mmCIF file of all heavy atoms in Angstrom:
data_model
loop_
_atom_site.group_PDB
_atom_site.id
_atom_site.type_symbol
_atom_site.label_atom_id
_atom_site.label_comp_id
_atom_site.label_asym_id
_atom_site.label_seq_id
_atom_site.Cartn_x
_atom_site.Cartn_y
_atom_site.Cartn_z
ATOM 1 N N TRP Z 1 3.326 -14.850 25.200
ATOM 2 C CA TRP Z 1 2.107 -15.139 24.426
ATOM 3 C C TRP Z 1 1.995 -14.189 23.239
ATOM 4 O O TRP Z 1 1.771 -14.609 22.122
ATOM 5 C CB TRP Z 1 0.869 -15.005 25.320
ATOM 6 C CG TRP Z 1 -0.347 -14.633 24.544
ATOM 7 C CD1 TRP Z 1 -1.074 -15.456 23.727
ATOM 8 C CD2 TRP Z 1 -0.946 -13.342 24.438
ATOM 9 N NE1 TRP Z 1 -2.101 -14.749 23.140
ATOM 10 C CE2 TRP Z 1 -2.044 -13.443 23.571
ATOM 11 C CE3 TRP Z 1 -0.663 -12.097 25.020
ATOM 12 C CZ2 TRP Z 1 -2.857 -12.364 23.255
ATOM 13 C CZ3 TRP Z 1 -1.475 -11.028 24.714
ATOM 14 C CH2 TRP Z 1 -2.545 -11.168 23.839
ATOM 15 N N ARG Z 2 2.165 -12.891 23.512
ATOM 16 C CA ARG Z 2 1.934 -11.894 22.458
ATOM 17 C C ARG Z 2 2.951 -12.003 21.323
ATOM 18 O O ARG Z 2 2.652 -11.689 20.178
ATOM 19 C CB ARG Z 2 1.949 -10.477 23.055
ATOM 20 C CG ARG Z 2 1.511 -9.404 22.078
ATOM 21 C CD ARG Z 2 0.101 -9.695 21.555
ATOM 22 N NE ARG Z 2 -0.339 -8.701 20.588
ATOM 23 C CZ ARG Z 2 -0.158 -8.800 19.277
ATOM 24 N NH1 ARG Z 2 0.468 -9.825 18.754
ATOM 25 N NH2 ARG Z 2 -0.614 -7.865 18.467
ATOM 26 N N SER Z 3 4.159 -12.469 21.626
ATOM 27 C CA SER Z 3 5.183 -12.584 20.580
ATOM 28 C C SER Z 3 5.267 -13.993 19.992
ATOM 29 O O SER Z 3 6.069 -14.235 19.098
ATOM 30 C CB SER Z 3 6.541 -12.150 21.121
ATOM 31 O OG SER Z 3 6.948 -13.001 22.178
ATOM 32 N N ASP Z 4 4.435 -14.908 20.470
ATOM 33 C CA ASP Z 4 4.416 -16.272 19.941
ATOM 34 C C ASP Z 4 4.036 -16.217 18.459
ATOM 35 O O ASP Z 4 2.998 -15.657 18.100
ATOM 36 C CB ASP Z 4 3.388 -17.101 20.715
ATOM 37 C CG ASP Z 4 3.337 -18.557 20.293
ATOM 38 O OD1 ASP Z 4 3.482 -18.858 19.088
ATOM 39 O OD2 ASP Z 4 3.145 -19.400 21.182
ATOM 40 N N PRO Z 5 4.864 -16.773 17.568
ATOM 41 C CA PRO Z 5 4.562 -16.722 16.137
ATOM 42 C C PRO Z 5 3.183 -17.291 15.784
ATOM 43 O O PRO Z 5 2.522 -16.794 14.875
ATOM 44 C CB PRO Z 5 5.678 -17.555 15.506
ATOM 45 C CG PRO Z 5 6.803 -17.483 16.486
ATOM 46 C CD PRO Z 5 6.157 -17.414 17.840
ATOM 47 N N ALA Z 6 2.731 -18.296 16.520
ATOM 48 C CA ALA Z 6 1.409 -18.858 16.263
ATOM 49 C C ALA Z 6 0.324 -17.826 16.562
ATOM 50 O O ALA Z 6 -0.656 -17.714 15.825
ATOM 51 C CB ALA Z 6 1.191 -20.119 17.091
ATOM 52 N N TYR Z 7 0.511 -17.053 17.650
ATOM 53 C CA TYR Z 7 -0.500 -16.031 17.958
ATOM 54 C C TYR Z 7 -0.423 -14.878 16.956
ATOM 55 O O TYR Z 7 -1.454 -14.352 16.552
ATOM 56 C CB TYR Z 7 -0.380 -15.492 19.382
ATOM 57 C CG TYR Z 7 -1.466 -14.464 19.603
ATOM 58 C CD1 TYR Z 7 -2.788 -14.860 19.745
ATOM 59 C CD2 TYR Z 7 -1.188 -13.106 19.570
ATOM 60 C CE1 TYR Z 7 -3.806 -13.928 19.868
ATOM 61 C CE2 TYR Z 7 -2.197 -12.165 19.699
ATOM 62 C CZ TYR Z 7 -3.506 -12.581 19.850
ATOM 63 O OH TYR Z 7 -4.509 -11.663 19.956
ATOM 64 N N VAL Z 8 0.760 -14.493 16.561
ATOM 65 C CA VAL Z 8 0.902 -13.414 15.578
ATOM 66 C C VAL Z 8 0.114 -13.767 14.316
ATOM 67 O O VAL Z 8 -0.592 -12.930 13.748
ATOM 68 C CB VAL Z 8 2.393 -13.142 15.265
ATOM 69 C CG1 VAL Z 8 2.550 -12.195 14.093
ATOM 70 C CG2 VAL Z 8 3.100 -12.594 16.503
ATOM 71 N N GLN Z 9 0.189 -15.016 13.920
ATOM 72 C CA GLN Z 9 -0.537 -15.487 12.744
ATOM 73 C C GLN Z 9 -2.053 -15.444 12.975
ATOM 74 O O GLN Z 9 -2.815 -14.988 12.115
ATOM 75 C CB GLN Z 9 -0.092 -16.917 12.431
ATOM 76 C CG GLN Z 9 -0.195 -17.317 11.015
ATOM 77 C CD GLN Z 9 0.488 -18.669 10.788
ATOM 78 O OE1 GLN Z 9 0.689 -19.467 11.701
ATOM 79 N NE2 GLN Z 9 0.842 -18.929 9.555
ATOM 80 N N VAL Z 10 -2.500 -15.903 14.132
ATOM 81 C CA VAL Z 10 -3.928 -15.907 14.459
ATOM 82 C C VAL Z 10 -4.444 -14.479 14.599
ATOM 83 O O VAL Z 10 -5.566 -14.161 14.183
ATOM 84 C CB VAL Z 10 -4.188 -16.717 15.751
ATOM 85 C CG1 VAL Z 10 -5.597 -16.514 16.270
ATOM 86 C CG2 VAL Z 10 -3.929 -18.188 15.499
ATOM 87 N N ARG Z 11 -3.633 -13.616 15.157
ATOM 88 C CA ARG Z 11 -4.048 -12.216 15.335
ATOM 89 C C ARG Z 11 -4.341 -11.564 13.983
ATOM 90 O O ARG Z 11 -5.267 -10.768 13.854
ATOM 91 C CB ARG Z 11 -2.968 -11.439 16.093
ATOM 92 C CG ARG Z 11 -3.235 -9.977 16.296
ATOM 93 C CD ARG Z 11 -4.493 -9.734 17.157
ATOM 94 N NE ARG Z 11 -4.679 -8.314 17.367
ATOM 95 C CZ ARG Z 11 -4.351 -7.684 18.478
ATOM 96 N NH1 ARG Z 11 -3.848 -8.345 19.503
ATOM 97 N NH2 ARG Z 11 -4.543 -6.394 18.576
ATOM 98 N N ALA Z 12 -3.561 -11.910 12.971
ATOM 99 C CA ALA Z 12 -3.804 -11.378 11.633
ATOM 100 C C ALA Z 12 -5.198 -11.779 11.143
ATOM 101 O O ALA Z 12 -5.882 -10.994 10.483
ATOM 102 C CB ALA Z 12 -2.727 -11.861 10.666
ATOM 103 N N ILE Z 13 -5.631 -12.971 11.491
ATOM 104 C CA ILE Z 13 -6.990 -13.401 11.159
ATOM 105 C C ILE Z 13 -7.999 -12.565 11.930
ATOM 106 O O ILE Z 13 -8.981 -12.080 11.371
ATOM 107 C CB ILE Z 13 -7.176 -14.914 11.460
ATOM 108 C CG1 ILE Z 13 -6.282 -15.744 10.546
ATOM 109 C CG2 ILE Z 13 -8.650 -15.312 11.335
ATOM 110 C CD1 ILE Z 13 -6.179 -17.206 10.942
ATOM 111 N N GLY Z 14 -7.750 -12.378 13.220
ATOM 112 C CA GLY Z 14 -8.656 -11.582 14.048
ATOM 113 C C GLY Z 14 -8.805 -10.165 13.541
ATOM 114 O O GLY Z 14 -9.893 -9.577 13.619
ATOM 115 N N GLU Z 15 -7.725 -9.605 12.991
ATOM 116 C CA GLU Z 15 -7.766 -8.222 12.507
ATOM 117 C C GLU Z 15 -8.611 -8.064 11.247
ATOM 118 O O GLU Z 15 -8.956 -6.940 10.880
ATOM 119 C CB GLU Z 15 -6.345 -7.707 12.313
ATOM 120 C CG GLU Z 15 -5.673 -7.477 13.654
ATOM 121 C CD GLU Z 15 -4.203 -7.119 13.573
ATOM 122 O OE1 GLU Z 15 -3.629 -7.126 12.459
ATOM 123 O OE2 GLU Z 15 -3.622 -6.844 14.634
ATOM 124 N N LYS Z 16 -8.989 -9.173 10.620
ATOM 125 C CA LYS Z 16 -9.940 -9.098 9.506
ATOM 126 C C LYS Z 16 -11.340 -8.790 10.034
ATOM 127 O O LYS Z 16 -12.170 -8.256 9.308
ATOM 128 C CB LYS Z 16 -9.986 -10.422 8.728
ATOM 129 C CG LYS Z 16 -8.715 -10.747 7.978
ATOM 130 C CD LYS Z 16 -8.849 -11.936 7.039
ATOM 131 C CE LYS Z 16 -9.533 -13.139 7.629
ATOM 132 N NZ LYS Z 16 -9.476 -14.332 6.758
ATOM 133 N N TYR Z 17 -11.595 -9.146 11.294
ATOM 134 C CA TYR Z 17 -12.927 -9.050 11.869
ATOM 135 C C TYR Z 17 -13.054 -8.030 12.999
ATOM 136 O O TYR Z 17 -14.165 -7.769 13.459
ATOM 137 C CB TYR Z 17 -13.356 -10.414 12.403
ATOM 138 C CG TYR Z 17 -13.259 -11.490 11.366
ATOM 139 C CD1 TYR Z 17 -12.333 -12.516 11.469
ATOM 140 C CD2 TYR Z 17 -14.086 -11.476 10.241
ATOM 141 C CE1 TYR Z 17 -12.234 -13.500 10.505
ATOM 142 C CE2 TYR Z 17 -13.992 -12.451 9.263
ATOM 143 C CZ TYR Z 17 -13.070 -13.459 9.401
ATOM 144 O OH TYR Z 17 -12.972 -14.430 8.429
ATOM 145 N N ALA Z 18 -11.949 -7.466 13.436
ATOM 146 C CA ALA Z 18 -12.014 -6.583 14.600
ATOM 147 C C ALA Z 18 -10.822 -5.623 14.637
ATOM 148 O O ALA Z 18 -9.786 -5.887 14.032
ATOM 149 C CB ALA Z 18 -12.021 -7.427 15.878
ATOM 150 N N THR Z 19 -10.999 -4.536 15.377
ATOM 151 C CA THR Z 19 -9.881 -3.647 15.696
ATOM 152 C C THR Z 19 -9.656 -3.743 17.205
ATOM 153 O O THR Z 19 -10.615 -3.870 17.977
ATOM 154 C CB THR Z 19 -10.155 -2.190 15.273
ATOM 155 O OG1 THR Z 19 -11.366 -1.755 15.873
ATOM 156 C CG2 THR Z 19 -10.250 -2.063 13.772
ATOM 157 N N TYR Z 20 -8.401 -3.681 17.589
ATOM 158 C CA TYR Z 20 -8.019 -3.941 18.975
ATOM 159 C C TYR Z 20 -7.340 -2.730 19.609
ATOM 160 O O TYR Z 20 -6.583 -2.027 18.957
ATOM 161 C CB TYR Z 20 -7.005 -5.096 19.032
ATOM 162 C CG TYR Z 20 -7.518 -6.402 18.502
ATOM 163 C CD1 TYR Z 20 -7.518 -6.675 17.140
ATOM 164 C CD2 TYR Z 20 -7.991 -7.366 19.371
ATOM 165 C CE1 TYR Z 20 -7.982 -7.885 16.655
ATOM 166 C CE2 TYR Z 20 -8.447 -8.583 18.881
ATOM 167 C CZ TYR Z 20 -8.448 -8.839 17.528
ATOM 168 O OH TYR Z 20 -8.900 -10.032 17.054
ATOM 169 N N ARG Z 21 -7.584 -2.578 20.875
ATOM 170 C CA ARG Z 21 -6.797 -1.685 21.730
ATOM 171 C C ARG Z 21 -6.541 -2.490 22.993
ATOM 172 O O ARG Z 21 -7.460 -2.757 23.774
ATOM 173 C CB ARG Z 21 -7.549 -0.407 22.065
ATOM 174 C CG ARG Z 21 -6.734 0.512 22.956
ATOM 175 C CD ARG Z 21 -7.399 1.879 23.119
ATOM 176 N NE ARG Z 21 -6.580 2.714 23.945
ATOM 177 C CZ ARG Z 21 -6.871 3.038 25.198
ATOM 178 N NH1 ARG Z 21 -7.997 2.605 25.749
ATOM 179 N NH2 ARG Z 21 -6.064 3.793 25.901
ATOM 180 N N THR Z 22 -5.314 -2.954 23.157
ATOM 181 C CA THR Z 22 -4.990 -3.796 24.306
ATOM 182 C C THR Z 22 -3.848 -3.181 25.091
ATOM 183 O O THR Z 22 -3.000 -2.478 24.547
ATOM 184 C CB THR Z 22 -4.600 -5.219 23.871
ATOM 185 O OG1 THR Z 22 -3.473 -5.150 23.001
ATOM 186 C CG2 THR Z 22 -5.739 -5.929 23.159
ATOM 187 N N PHE Z 23 -3.855 -3.457 26.380
ATOM 188 C CA PHE Z 23 -2.773 -3.008 27.248
ATOM 189 C C PHE Z 23 -2.674 -3.958 28.431
ATOM 190 O O PHE Z 23 -3.591 -4.741 28.672
ATOM 191 C CB PHE Z 23 -2.963 -1.553 27.694
ATOM 192 C CG PHE Z 23 -4.336 -1.249 28.228
ATOM 193 C CD1 PHE Z 23 -4.599 -1.285 29.591
ATOM 194 C CD2 PHE Z 23 -5.369 -0.914 27.364
ATOM 195 C CE1 PHE Z 23 -5.861 -1.003 30.070
ATOM 196 C CE2 PHE Z 23 -6.639 -0.635 27.842
ATOM 197 C CZ PHE Z 23 -6.888 -0.681 29.199
ATOM 198 N N ALA Z 24 -1.550 -3.900 29.116
ATOM 199 C CA ALA Z 24 -1.310 -4.823 30.230
ATOM 200 C C ALA Z 24 -0.897 -4.044 31.470
ATOM 201 O O ALA Z 24 -0.239 -3.004 31.370
ATOM 202 C CB ALA Z 24 -0.213 -5.825 29.862
ATOM 203 N N VAL Z 25 -1.290 -4.583 32.614
ATOM 204 C CA VAL Z 25 -0.891 -4.022 33.911
ATOM 205 C C VAL Z 25 -0.506 -5.178 34.827
ATOM 206 O O VAL Z 25 -1.037 -6.279 34.686
ATOM 207 C CB VAL Z 25 -2.000 -3.184 34.571
ATOM 208 C CG1 VAL Z 25 -2.325 -1.944 33.745
ATOM 209 C CG2 VAL Z 25 -3.257 -3.991 34.809
ATOM 210 N N GLU Z 26 0.416 -4.897 35.739
ATOM 211 C CA GLU Z 26 0.759 -5.900 36.743
ATOM 212 C C GLU Z 26 -0.212 -5.777 37.901
ATOM 213 O O GLU Z 26 -0.693 -4.680 38.219
ATOM 214 C CB GLU Z 26 2.190 -5.704 37.241
ATOM 215 C CG GLU Z 26 3.215 -6.105 36.217
ATOM 216 C CD GLU Z 26 4.639 -6.051 36.747
ATOM 217 O OE1 GLU Z 26 4.919 -5.194 37.609
ATOM 218 O OE2 GLU Z 26 5.449 -6.859 36.302
ATOM 219 N N GLY Z 27 -0.511 -6.906 38.520
ATOM 220 C CA GLY Z 27 -1.386 -6.910 39.677
ATOM 221 C C GLY Z 27 -0.734 -6.230 40.860
ATOM 222 O O GLY Z 27 0.487 -6.131 40.950
#
């Protein structure tokens, strides 16, 4: 998901409106 080119493009839009700190953990 995170490396999907479509999401990379959408994320650039999101970064106009927000700053992110994301991380992942396994259950």
Side-chain angles (χ1 to χ4, degrees):
W1 152 75
R2 189 58 181 91
S3 63
D4 183 323
Y7 181 73
V8 171
Q9 208 171 21
V10 169
R11 178 63 178 259
I13 295 168
E15 288 173 355
K16 293 189 314 188
Y17 306 112
T19 55
Y20 299 82
R21 180 171 181 253
T22 59
F23 49 95
V25 295
E26 288 186 328

